[in-house]
Coordinates of all heavy atoms in Angstrom, one line a residue:
M271 N 6.3 -80.0 -258.0 CA 6.8 -80.9 -257.0 C 5.7 -81.9 -256.6 O 4.6 -81.5 -256.3 CB 7.2 -80.1 -255.7 CG 8.0 -80.8 -254.7 SD 8.4 -79.8 -253.3 CE 10.1 -79.6 -253.7
N272 N 6.0 -83.2 -256.6 CA 5.0 -84.2 -256.3 C 4.9 -84.4 -254.8 O 5.7 -83.9 -254.0 CB 5.3 -85.5 -257.1 CG 6.7 -86.1 -256.7 OD1 7.3 -85.7 -255.7 ND2 7.2 -87.0 -257.4
K273 N 3.9 -85.2 -254.4 CA 3.6 -85.4 -253.0 C 4.7 -86.0 -252.3 O 5.1 -85.6 -251.1 CB 2.3 -86.2 -252.9 CG 1.8 -86.3 -251.5 CD 0.5 -87.1 -251.4 CE 0.1 -87.2 -250.0 NZ -1.2 -87.9 -249.9
T274 N 5.4 -87.1 -252.8 CA 6.5 -87.7 -252.1 C 7.7 -86.8 -251.9 O 8.3 -86.9 -250.9 CB 6.9 -89.0 -252.8 OG1 7.3 -88.6 -254.2 CG2 5.8 -90.0 -252.9
A275 N 8.0 -85.9 -252.8 CA 9.1 -85.0 -252.7 C 8.8 -84.0 -251.5 O 9.7 -83.7 -250.7 CB 9.4 -84.3 -254.0
S276 N 7.5 -83.5 -251.5 CA 7.2 -82.6 -250.4 C 7.2 -83.3 -249.0 O 7.6 -82.7 -248.0 CB 5.9 -81.9 -250.7 OG 4.8 -82.8 -250.6
E277 N 6.7 -84.5 -249.0 CA 6.7 -85.2 -247.8 C 8.2 -85.5 -247.3 O 8.4 -85.4 -246.1 CB 6.0 -86.6 -247.9 CG 4.5 -86.4 -247.9 CD 3.8 -87.7 -248.2 OE1 4.4 -88.7 -248.4 OE2 2.5 -87.7 -248.1
S278 N 9.0 -85.9 -248.2 CA 10.4 -86.1 -247.8 C 11.1 -84.8 -247.3 O 11.9 -84.9 -246.4 CB 11.2 -86.8 -248.9 OG 11.3 -85.9 -250.0
L279 N 10.8 -83.7 -247.9 CA 11.3 -82.4 -247.5 C 10.8 -82.1 -246.1 O 11.6 -81.7 -245.2 CB 11.0 -81.3 -248.5 CG 11.4 -79.9 -248.1 CD1 13.0 -79.9 -248.1 CD2 10.8 -78.9 -249.0
W280 N 9.5 -82.3 -245.9 CA 8.9 -82.1 -244.5 C 9.6 -83.0 -243.5 O 9.9 -82.6 -242.4 CB 7.4 -82.4 -244.6 CG 6.7 -82.3 -243.4 CD1 6.3 -81.1 -242.7 CD2 6.3 -83.3 -242.5 NE1 5.7 -81.4 -241.6 CE2 5.7 -82.8 -241.4 CE3 6.5 -84.7 -242.5 CZ2 5.2 -83.5 -240.4 CZ3 6.0 -85.5 -241.5 CH2 5.3 -84.9 -240.4
K281 N 9.8 -84.3 -243.8 CA 10.4 -85.3 -242.9 C 11.8 -84.9 -242.7 O 12.3 -85.0 -241.5 CB 10.3 -86.7 -243.5 CG 10.9 -87.7 -242.6 CD 10.3 -89.1 -242.8 CE 11.0 -90.1 -242.0 NZ 11.6 -89.8 -240.8
R282 N 12.5 -84.5 -243.7 CA 13.9 -84.1 -243.5 C 14.1 -82.9 -242.5 O 14.9 -83.0 -241.6 CB 14.5 -83.7 -244.9 CG 16.0 -83.7 -244.8 CD 16.6 -83.4 -246.2 NE 15.8 -83.9 -247.3 CZ 15.6 -83.2 -248.4 NH1 16.2 -82.0 -248.6 NH2 14.8 -83.6 -249.4
W283 N 13.2 -81.9 -242.6 CA 13.3 -80.8 -241.7 C 12.8 -81.2 -240.3 O 13.4 -80.8 -239.3 CB 12.4 -79.6 -242.2 CG 13.1 -78.8 -243.2 CD1 13.0 -78.8 -244.5 CD2 14.2 -77.9 -242.9 NE1 13.9 -78.0 -245.1 CE2 14.6 -77.4 -244.1 CE3 14.8 -77.5 -241.7 CZ2 15.7 -76.5 -244.2 CZ3 15.9 -76.6 -241.8 CH2 16.3 -76.1 -243.1
L284 N 11.9 -82.1 -240.2 CA 11.4 -82.6 -238.9 C 12.6 -83.4 -238.2 O 12.8 -83.2 -237.0 CB 10.2 -83.5 -239.0 CG 9.6 -84.1 -237.7 CD1 9.2 -82.9 -236.8 CD2 8.5 -85.0 -238.0
D285 N 13.3 -84.2 -239.0 CA 14.4 -85.0 -238.5 C 15.5 -84.0 -238.0 O 16.1 -84.2 -236.9 CB 15.0 -85.9 -239.5 CG 14.1 -87.1 -239.8 OD1 13.2 -87.4 -239.0 OD2 14.2 -87.7 -240.8
R286 N 15.8 -83.0 -238.7 CA 16.8 -82.0 -238.3 C 16.4 -81.3 -237.0 O 17.2 -81.1 -236.1 CB 17.0 -80.9 -239.4 CG 17.7 -81.4 -240.6 CD 17.8 -80.4 -241.6 NE 18.4 -80.9 -242.9 CZ 18.4 -80.3 -244.0 NH1 17.8 -79.1 -244.2 NH2 18.9 -80.9 -245.1
L287 N 15.1 -81.0 -236.9 CA 14.6 -80.4 -235.7 C 14.7 -81.3 -234.5 O 15.2 -80.9 -233.4 CB 13.1 -79.9 -235.8 CG 12.4 -79.4 -234.6 CD1 13.0 -78.1 -234.2 CD2 10.9 -79.4 -234.8
L288 N 14.4 -82.6 -234.7 CA 14.6 -83.5 -233.6 C 16.0 -83.8 -233.2 O 16.3 -84.0 -232.0 CB 13.8 -84.8 -234.0 CG 12.3 -84.7 -234.1 CD1 11.7 -86.0 -234.6 CD2 11.7 -84.3 -232.7
V289 N 16.9 -83.8 -234.2 CA 18.3 -83.9 -233.8 C 18.8 -82.7 -233.0 O 19.5 -82.9 -232.0 CB 19.2 -84.1 -235.1 CG1 20.7 -83.9 -234.8 CG2 18.9 -85.5 -235.7
L290 N 18.4 -81.5 -233.4 CA 18.7 -80.3 -232.7 C 18.2 -80.4 -231.3 O 18.8 -80.1 -230.3 CB 18.2 -79.1 -233.4 CG 18.4 -77.8 -232.7 CD1 19.9 -77.5 -232.6 CD2 17.7 -76.7 -233.4
D291 N 16.9 -80.9 -231.2 CA 16.3 -81.1 -229.9 C 17.1 -82.0 -229.0 O 17.2 -81.8 -227.8 CB 14.9 -81.6 -230.1 CG 14.1 -81.6 -228.8 OD1 14.1 -80.6 -228.0 OD2 13.5 -82.7 -228.5
V292 N 17.6 -83.1 -229.5 CA 18.4 -84.1 -228.7 C 19.6 -83.3 -228.2 O 20.0 -83.5 -227.0 CB 18.8 -85.3 -229.6 CG1 19.9 -86.1 -228.9 CG2 17.6 -86.2 -229.8
F293 N 20.3 -82.5 -229.0 CA 21.5 -81.8 -228.6 C 21.1 -80.8 -227.5 O 21.9 -80.6 -226.6 CB 22.2 -81.2 -229.7 CG 23.0 -82.2 -230.5 CD1 22.7 -82.4 -231.9 CD2 24.0 -82.9 -230.0 CE1 23.4 -83.3 -232.6 CE2 24.7 -83.8 -230.7 CZ 24.4 -84.1 -232.0
V294 N 20.0 -80.2 -227.6 CA 19.6 -79.2 -226.6 C 19.4 -79.9 -225.2 O 19.8 -79.4 -224.2 CB 18.3 -78.4 -227.0 CG1 17.7 -77.7 -225.8 CG2 18.6 -77.5 -228.1
V295 N 18.7 -81.1 -225.3 CA 18.4 -81.8 -224.0 C 19.8 -82.3 -223.4 O 20.0 -82.2 -222.2 CB 17.5 -83.0 -224.3 CG1 17.4 -83.9 -223.1 CG2 16.1 -82.5 -224.7
L296 N 20.7 -82.8 -224.3 CA 22.0 -83.3 -223.8 C 22.8 -82.1 -223.2 O 23.4 -82.3 -222.2 CB 22.8 -84.0 -224.9 CG 22.2 -85.4 -225.3 CD1 23.0 -85.9 -226.5 CD2 22.3 -86.3 -224.2
A297 N 22.8 -81.0 -223.9 CA 23.5 -79.8 -223.4 C 22.9 -79.4 -222.0 O 23.6 -79.0 -221.1 CB 23.4 -78.7 -224.4
G298 N 21.6 -79.4 -221.9 CA 20.9 -79.1 -220.7 C 21.3 -80.0 -219.5 O 21.5 -79.6 -218.4
A299 N 21.4 -81.3 -219.8 CA 21.8 -82.3 -218.8 C 23.3 -82.0 -218.4 O 23.6 -82.1 -217.2 CB 21.7 -83.7 -219.4
L300 N 24.1 -81.7 -219.3 CA 25.5 -81.4 -219.0 C 25.6 -80.2 -218.2 O 26.4 -80.1 -217.2 CB 26.4 -81.4 -220.2 CG 26.6 -82.7 -221.0 CD1 27.3 -82.4 -222.3 CD2 27.3 -83.7 -220.1
W301 N 24.9 -79.2 -218.6 CA 24.8 -77.9 -217.9 C 24.4 -78.1 -216.4 O 24.9 -77.6 -215.5 CB 24.0 -76.9 -218.6 CG 23.9 -75.5 -218.0 CD1 24.6 -75.1 -216.9 CD2 23.3 -74.4 -218.6 NE1 24.3 -73.7 -216.7 CE2 23.5 -73.3 -217.7 CE3 22.5 -74.2 -219.7 CZ2 23.0 -72.0 -218.0 CZ3 22.0 -73.0 -219.9 CH2 22.2 -71.9 -219.1
F302 N 23.3 -78.9 -216.3 CA 22.8 -79.1 -214.9 C 23.8 -79.8 -214.1 O 24.0 -79.4 -212.9 CB 21.5 -80.0 -215.0 CG 20.9 -80.3 -213.7 CD1 20.3 -79.4 -212.9 CD2 21.0 -81.6 -213.2 CE1 19.8 -79.7 -211.7 CE2 20.5 -82.0 -212.0 CZ 19.9 -81.0 -211.2
A303 N 24.5 -80.8 -214.6 CA 25.5 -81.5 -213.8 C 26.6 -80.6 -213.4 O 27.1 -80.6 -212.3 CB 26.1 -82.7 -214.7
A304 N 27.1 -79.7 -214.4 CA 28.1 -78.8 -214.0 C 27.6 -77.8 -213.0 O 28.4 -77.4 -212.1 CB 28.6 -78.1 -215.3
A305 N 26.4 -77.4 -213.1 CA 25.8 -76.4 -212.2 C 25.7 -76.9 -210.8 O 25.9 -76.2 -209.8 CB 24.5 -75.9 -212.7
V306 N 25.4 -78.2 -210.7 CA 25.3 -78.8 -209.4 C 26.7 -78.9 -208.8 O 26.8 -78.6 -207.6 CB 24.6 -80.2 -209.5 CG1 24.8 -81.0 -208.2 CG2 23.2 -80.1 -209.8
V307 N 27.7 -79.3 -209.6 CA 29.0 -79.3 -209.0 C 29.5 -77.9 -208.6 O 30.1 -77.7 -207.6 CB 30.0 -79.9 -210.1 CG1 31.5 -79.8 -209.7 CG2 29.7 -81.4 -210.3
A308 N 29.2 -76.9 -209.4 CA 29.6 -75.6 -209.1 C 28.9 -75.1 -207.9 O 29.4 -74.4 -207.0 CB 29.3 -74.6 -210.3
S309 N 27.6 -75.5 -207.7 CA 26.8 -75.1 -206.5 C 27.4 -75.7 -205.3 O 27.4 -75.1 -204.2 CB 25.4 -75.5 -206.7 OG 24.6 -75.2 -205.6
S310 N 27.9 -76.9 -205.4 CA 28.5 -77.5 -204.2 C 29.8 -76.8 -203.8 O 30.3 -77.0 -202.7 CB 28.8 -79.0 -204.5 OG 29.9 -79.2 -205.4
Q311 N 30.4 -76.1 -204.8 CA 31.6 -75.4 -204.5 C 31.3 -73.9 -204.1 O 32.3 -73.1 -203.9 CB 32.6 -75.4 -205.7 CG 33.0 -76.8 -206.1 CD 33.8 -77.5 -205.1 OE1 34.7 -76.9 -204.4 NE2 33.5 -78.7 -204.8
G312 N 30.1 -73.6 -204.0 CA 29.7 -72.2 -203.6 C 29.3 -71.3 -204.7 O 29.0 -70.1 -204.5
L313 N 29.4 -71.7 -206.0 CA 29.1 -70.8 -207.1 C 27.6 -71.1 -207.5 O 27.3 -72.1 -208.2 CB 30.1 -71.1 -208.3 CG 29.9 -70.3 -209.5 CD1 30.2 -68.8 -209.2 CD2 30.9 -70.7 -210.6
E314 N 26.7 -70.2 -207.2 CA 25.3 -70.5 -207.4 C 24.8 -69.9 -208.8 O 23.7 -70.3 -209.2 CB 24.5 -69.8 -206.3 CG 24.8 -70.4 -204.9 CD 24.4 -71.8 -204.8 OE1 23.4 -72.2 -205.4 OE2 25.0 -72.5 -204.0
A315 N 25.5 -69.1 -209.5 CA 25.0 -68.5 -210.7 C 24.6 -69.5 -211.8 O 23.5 -69.3 -212.4 CB 26.0 -67.4 -211.2
P316 N 25.4 -70.5 -212.1 CA 25.0 -71.4 -213.2 C 23.7 -72.2 -212.8 O 22.9 -72.4 -213.7 CB 26.2 -72.4 -213.3 CG 27.3 -71.7 -212.7 CD 26.8 -70.8 -211.6
L317 N 23.5 -72.5 -211.6 CA 22.3 -73.3 -211.2 C 21.0 -72.3 -211.3 O 20.0 -72.7 -211.8 CB 22.4 -73.9 -209.8 CG 21.3 -74.8 -209.4 CD1 21.1 -76.0 -210.4 CD2 21.5 -75.3 -208.0
R318 N 21.2 -71.1 -210.9 CA 20.1 -70.1 -211.0 C 19.7 -69.9 -212.4 O 18.6 -69.8 -212.8 CB 20.5 -68.8 -210.3 CG 20.3 -68.8 -208.8 CD 20.3 -67.4 -208.2 NE 21.5 -66.6 -208.6 CZ 22.6 -66.6 -207.9 NH1 22.7 -67.2 -206.8 NH2 23.6 -65.9 -208.3
Q319 N 20.7 -69.8 -213.3 CA 20.5 -69.5 -214.7 C 19.8 -70.8 -215.3 O 18.9 -70.6 -216.1 CB 21.8 -69.3 -215.5 CG 21.6 -68.9 -217.0 CD 20.7 -67.7 -217.2 OE1 20.8 -66.7 -216.4 NE2 20.0 -67.6 -218.2
F320 N 20.2 -72.0 -214.9 CA 19.5 -73.2 -215.4 C 18.1 -73.2 -215.0 O 17.2 -73.5 -215.7 CB 20.3 -74.4 -214.9 CG 19.6 -75.7 -215.3 CD1 19.9 -76.2 -216.6 CD2 18.7 -76.4 -214.5 CE1 19.3 -77.4 -217.0 CE2 18.1 -77.5 -214.9 CZ 18.4 -78.1 -216.2
Q321 N 17.8 -72.8 -213.7 CA 16.5 -72.8 -213.2 C 15.6 -71.8 -214.0 O 14.4 -72.0 -214.2 CB 16.5 -72.5 -211.7 CG 17.0 -73.6 -210.9 CD 17.1 -73.2 -209.4 OE1 17.3 -72.1 -209.1 NE2 17.2 -74.2 -208.6
R322 N 16.2 -70.6 -214.4 CA 15.4 -69.7 -215.2 C 15.1 -70.2 -216.5 O 14.0 -69.9 -217.1 CB 16.2 -68.4 -215.3 CG 16.1 -67.4 -214.2 CD 16.7 -66.1 -214.5 NE 17.6 -65.8 -213.3 CZ 18.9 -65.6 -213.4 NH1 19.5 -65.7 -214.5 NH2 19.6 -65.4 -212.3
L323 N 15.9 -71.0 -217.1 CA 15.7 -71.6 -218.4 C 14.9 -72.9 -218.4 O 14.5 -73.4 -219.5 CB 17.0 -71.8 -219.2 CG 17.8 -70.5 -219.6 CD1 19.1 -70.8 -220.1 CD2 16.9 -69.7 -220.5
W324 N 14.7 -73.4 -217.3 CA 14.0 -74.8 -217.2 C 12.6 -74.7 -217.9 O 12.4 -75.5 -218.8 CB 13.9 -75.2 -215.7 CG 13.2 -76.5 -215.6 CD1 11.9 -76.7 -215.1 CD2 13.6 -77.8 -216.0 NE1 11.6 -78.0 -215.2 CE2 12.6 -78.7 -215.7 CE3 14.8 -78.3 -216.5 CZ2 12.7 -80.1 -215.9 CZ3 14.9 -79.6 -216.8 CH2 13.9 -80.5 -216.5
E325 N 11.8 -73.9 -217.5 CA 10.4 -73.8 -218.0 C 10.3 -73.4 -219.5 O 9.7 -74.1 -220.3 CB 9.5 -72.9 -217.2 CG 9.1 -73.5 -215.9 CD 8.2 -74.8 -216.0 OE1 7.4 -74.8 -216.9 OE2 8.4 -75.7 -215.2
P326 N 11.0 -72.3 -219.9 CA 10.8 -71.9 -221.3 C 11.6 -72.7 -222.3 O 11.3 -72.7 -223.5 CB 11.3 -70.4 -221.3 CG 12.2 -70.3 -220.1 CD 11.7 -71.3 -219.1
L327 N 12.7 -73.4 -221.9 CA 13.5 -74.1 -222.9 C 13.6 -75.6 -222.7 O 13.3 -76.3 -223.6 CB 15.0 -73.5 -222.8 CG 16.0 -74.1 -223.7 CD1 15.6 -73.9 -225.2 CD2 17.4 -73.6 -223.5
F328 N 14.0 -76.0 -221.5 CA 14.3 -77.4 -221.3 C 13.0 -78.3 -221.2 O 13.0 -79.4 -221.7 CB 15.2 -77.7 -220.1 CG 16.6 -77.0 -220.4 CD1 17.0 -76.0 -219.5 CD2 17.4 -77.4 -221.4 CE1 18.2 -75.4 -219.8 CE2 18.6 -76.9 -221.6 CZ 19.0 -75.9 -220.8
T329 N 12.0 -77.8 -220.5 CA 10.8 -78.6 -220.4 C 10.1 -78.9 -221.7 O 9.8 -80.0 -222.0 CB 9.8 -77.9 -219.4 OG1 10.4 -77.8 -218.1 CG2 8.5 -78.7 -219.3
P330 N 9.9 -77.9 -222.6 CA 9.4 -78.2 -223.9 C 10.3 -79.1 -224.8 O 9.8 -80.0 -225.5 CB 9.2 -76.8 -224.6 CG 9.2 -75.9 -223.5 CD 10.0 -76.4 -222.4
A331 N 11.6 -78.9 -224.6 CA 12.6 -79.8 -225.4 C 12.4 -81.2 -225.0 O 12.4 -82.1 -225.8 CB 14.0 -79.3 -225.2
I332 N 12.3 -81.5 -223.7 CA 12.2 -82.8 -223.2 C 10.8 -83.4 -223.6 O 10.7 -84.6 -224.0 CB 12.4 -82.9 -221.7 CG1 13.8 -82.5 -221.3 CG2 12.0 -84.3 -221.1 CD1 14.0 -82.3 -219.8
G333 N 9.8 -82.6 -223.5 CA 8.5 -83.0 -224.0 C 8.4 -83.4 -225.4 O 7.8 -84.4 -225.8
L334 N 9.1 -82.6 -226.3 CA 9.1 -82.9 -227.7 C 9.9 -84.1 -228.0 O 9.5 -85.0 -228.8 CB 9.8 -81.7 -228.4 CG 10.0 -81.8 -229.9 CD1 8.6 -81.9 -230.6 CD2 10.7 -80.6 -230.5
L335 N 11.0 -84.4 -227.2 CA 11.7 -85.6 -227.4 C 10.9 -86.8 -227.0 O 10.9 -87.8 -227.8 CB 13.0 -85.5 -226.6 CG 14.1 -86.6 -226.8 CD1 14.6 -86.5 -228.2 CD2 15.2 -86.4 -225.8
I336 N 10.2 -86.8 -225.9 CA 9.4 -87.9 -225.5 C 8.2 -88.1 -226.5 O 7.9 -89.3 -226.9 CB 8.8 -87.7 -224.1 CG1 10.0 -87.7 -223.1 CG2 7.8 -88.7 -223.7 CD1 9.6 -87.3 -221.7
A337 N 7.6 -87.0 -227.0 CA 6.5 -87.2 -227.9 C 7.0 -87.8 -229.2 O 6.3 -88.6 -229.8 CB 5.9 -85.8 -228.2
A338 N 8.2 -87.4 -229.7 CA 8.7 -87.9 -230.9 C 9.0 -89.4 -230.8 O 8.8 -90.2 -231.7 CB 10.0 -87.1 -231.3
A339 N 9.5 -89.8 -229.6 CA 9.8 -91.2 -229.4 C 8.5 -92.0 -229.4 O 8.5 -93.1 -230.0 CB 10.6 -91.4 -228.1
L340 N 7.5 -91.5 -228.8 CA 6.2 -92.2 -228.8 C 5.6 -92.3 -230.2 O 5.1 -93.4 -230.6 CB 5.2 -91.5 -227.8 CG 5.5 -91.7 -226.3 CD1 4.6 -90.8 -225.5 CD2 5.4 -93.1 -225.9
V341 N 5.6 -91.2 -230.9 CA 5.1 -91.2 -232.3 C 5.9 -92.2 -233.1 O 5.3 -93.0 -233.9 CB 5.1 -89.8 -232.9 CG1 4.8 -89.9 -234.4 CG2 4.0 -89.0 -232.2
N342 N 7.2 -92.2 -233.0 CA 8.0 -93.1 -233.8 C 7.7 -94.6 -233.4 O 7.6 -95.4 -234.3 CB 9.5 -92.8 -233.5 CG 10.4 -93.6 -234.4 OD1 10.0 -94.0 -235.5 ND2 11.6 -93.8 -234.0
G343 N 7.6 -94.9 -232.1 CA 7.2 -96.2 -231.7 C 5.9 -96.7 -232.2 O 5.7 -97.8 -232.7
I344 N 4.9 -95.8 -232.1 CA 3.6 -96.2 -232.6 C 3.5 -96.4 -234.1 O 2.9 -97.3 -234.6 CB 2.5 -95.1 -232.1 CG1 2.3 -95.2 -230.6 CG2 1.2 -95.3 -232.8 CD1 1.6 -94.0 -230.0
S345 N 4.3 -95.5 -234.8 CA 4.3 -95.6 -236.2 C 5.0 -96.9 -236.7 O 4.5 -97.6 -237.6 CB 5.1 -94.4 -236.8 OG 5.4 -94.6 -238.2
S346 N 6.1 -97.3 -236.0 CA 6.8 -98.5 -236.3 C 5.9 -99.7 -236.0 O 5.8 -100.7 -236.8 CB 8.1 -98.7 -235.5 OG 9.0 -97.7 -235.8
W347 N 5.2 -99.7 -234.9 CA 4.3 -100.8 -234.5 C 3.2 -100.9 -235.6 O 2.8 -102.0 -236.0 CB 3.7 -100.5 -233.2 CG 2.6 -101.5 -232.8 CD1 2.7 -102.7 -232.3 CD2 1.2 -101.2 -232.8 NE1 1.5 -103.3 -232.1 CE2 0.5 -102.4 -232.4 CE3 0.4 -100.1 -233.2 CZ2 -0.9 -102.4 -232.3 CZ3 -1.0 -100.2 -233.1 CH2 -1.6 -101.3 -232.7
W348 N 2.6 -99.8 -236.0 CA 1.5 -99.8 -237.0 C 2.0 -100.3 -238.3 O 1.3 -101.1 -239.0 CB 1.0 -98.4 -237.2 CG -0.3 -98.3 -238.0 CD1 -0.4 -98.1 -239.3 CD2 -1.6 -98.6 -237.5 NE1 -1.7 -98.1 -239.7 CE2 -2.5 -98.4 -238.6 CE3 -2.1 -98.9 -236.2 CZ2 -3.8 -98.6 -238.5 CZ3 -3.5 -99.0 -236.1 CH2 -4.3 -98.9 -237.2
Q349 N 3.2 -99.9 -238.8 CA 3.8 -100.4 -240.0 C 4.0 -102.0 -240.0 O 3.7 -102.7 -240.9 CB 5.1 -99.7 -240.4 CG 4.8 -98.3 -240.8 CD 6.1 -97.5 -241.0 OE1 7.2 -98.0 -240.7 NE2 6.0 -96.3 -241.6
R350 N 4.6 -102.4 -238.8 CA 4.8 -103.9 -238.7 C 3.5 -104.6 -238.7 O 3.4 -105.7 -239.3 CB 5.5 -104.2 -237.4 CG 7.0 -104.0 -237.4 CD 7.7 -104.6 -236.2 NE 7.1 -104.2 -235.0 CZ 7.5 -103.2 -234.2 NH1 8.5 -102.5 -234.6 NH2 6.8 -103.0 -233.0
R351 N 2.5 -104.1 -238.1 CA 1.1 -104.7 -238.1 C 0.6 -104.8 -239.5 O 0.0 -105.8 -239.9 CB 0.2 -103.9 -237.1 CG -1.1 -104.5 -236.9 CD -1.9 -103.8 -235.8 NE -3.2 -104.4 -235.7 CZ -4.3 -103.8 -235.4 NH1 -4.2 -102.5 -235.1 NH2 -5.4 -104.4 -235.4
A352 N 0.7 -103.7 -240.2 CA 0.2 -103.7 -241.6 C 1.0 -104.7 -242.5 O 0.3 -105.3 -243.3 CB 0.3 -102.3 -242.2
L353 N 2.3 -104.8 -242.3 CA 3.0 -105.8 -243.1 C 2.6 -107.2 -242.7 O 2.5 -108.0 -243.6 CB 4.5 -105.6 -242.8 CG 5.3 -104.5 -243.5 CD1 6.7 -104.4 -243.0 CD2 5.2 -104.7 -245.0
Q354 N 2.4 -107.5 -241.5 CA 1.9 -108.8 -241.1 C 0.5 -109.1 -241.7 O 0.3 -110.2 -242.1 CB 1.9 -109.0 -239.6 CG 3.3 -109.1 -239.0 CD 3.2 -109.1 -237.4 OE1 2.2 -108.8 -236.8 NE2 4.4 -109.3 -236.8
A355 N -0.3 -108.1 -241.6 CA -1.7 -108.3 -242.2 C -1.6 -108.5 -243.7 O -2.4 -109.3 -244.3 CB -2.6 -107.1 -241.9
G356 N -0.7 -107.9 -244.4 CA -0.5 -108.1 -245.8 C 0.0 -109.4 -246.1 O -0.4 -110.1 -247.1
R357 N 0.9 -109.9 -245.3 CA 1.5 -111.3 -245.5 C 0.4 -112.3 -245.2 O 0.3 -113.3 -245.9 CB 2.7 -111.5 -244.6 CG 3.9 -110.8 -245.0 CD 5.0 -111.1 -244.0 NE 6.1 -110.2 -244.2 CZ 7.0 -109.8 -243.3 NH1 6.9 -110.4 -242.1 NH2 7.9 -109.0 -243.5
D358 N -0.4 -112.1 -244.2 CA -1.5 -113.1 -243.9 C -2.5 -113.1 -245.0 O -3.1 -114.2 -245.3 CB -2.2 -112.7 -242.6 CG -1.2 -112.9 -241.4 OD1 -0.2 -113.6 -241.5 OD2 -1.5 -112.3 -240.3
S359 N -2.8 -112.0 -245.6 CA -3.8 -112.0 -246.7 C -3.3 -112.6 -248.0 O -4.1 -113.1 -248.8 CB -4.3 -110.6 -247.0 OG -3.3 -109.8 -247.5
E360 N -2.0 -112.7 -248.2 CA -1.4 -113.3 -249.4 C -1.5 -114.8 -249.3 O -1.5 -115.5 -250.3 CB 0.0 -112.9 -249.6 CG 0.2 -111.4 -250.0 CD 1.6 -111.0 -250.1 OE1 2.5 -111.8 -249.8 OE2 1.9 -109.8 -250.4
T361 N -1.5 -115.4 -248.1 CA -1.5 -116.9 -248.0 C -2.8 -117.5 -248.1 O -3.8 -116.9 -248.1 CB -0.8 -117.3 -246.7 OG1 -1.5 -116.8 -245.6 CG2 0.7 -116.9 -246.7

């Protein structure tokens, strides 16, 4: 297996992980909204369960999502900068 094939496999699994992470964060947001509505109706169990899962599940998921967005943005910026430098050196 050559280097590009292993890198694409690694990137494919990383992309899958990040897509799963987005769904976890979205599900957490929906759960929170439903739990707040239920709490206003006197049903406290969903909000308590959400609070129990906040630190071990949702905080790392949100952190991973933000970190991935930052790395993606920096990578795109770096690639654009390298392309511009390549064009400037050709002229």
Side-chain angles (χ1 to χ4, degrees):
M271 190 180 256
N272 60 14
K273 186 177 179 181
T274 58
S276 66
E277 285 177 354
S278 65
L279 179 65
W280 176 82
K281 180 158 175 23
R282 196 173 335 137
W283 278 104
L284 181 61
D285 288 343
R286 288 177 184 165
L287 174 69
L288 292 174
V289 167
L290 177 65
D291 184 54
V292 167
F293 284 117
V294 167
V295 171
L296 289 175
L300 292 174
W301 185 356
F302 178 70
V306 167
V307 170
S309 179
S310 72
Q311 300 298 317
L313 184 61
E314 298 293 331
L317 189 57
R318 279 196 306 267
Q319 185 63 31
F320 180 84
Q321 288 172 338
R322 276 189 230 118
L323 291 174
W324 176 253
E325 285 296 322
L327 179 63
F328 296 118
T329 301
I332 293 168
L334 179 63
L335 191 62
I336 291 170
L340 288 173
V341 167
N342 187 26
I344 291 169
S345 173
S346 296
W347 172 78
W348 191 263
Q349 288 174 352
R350 280 193 312 266
R351 187 172 175 212
L353 282 173
Q354 288 175 351
R357 288 182 193 151
D358 291 343
S359 67
E360 289 176 1
T361 59

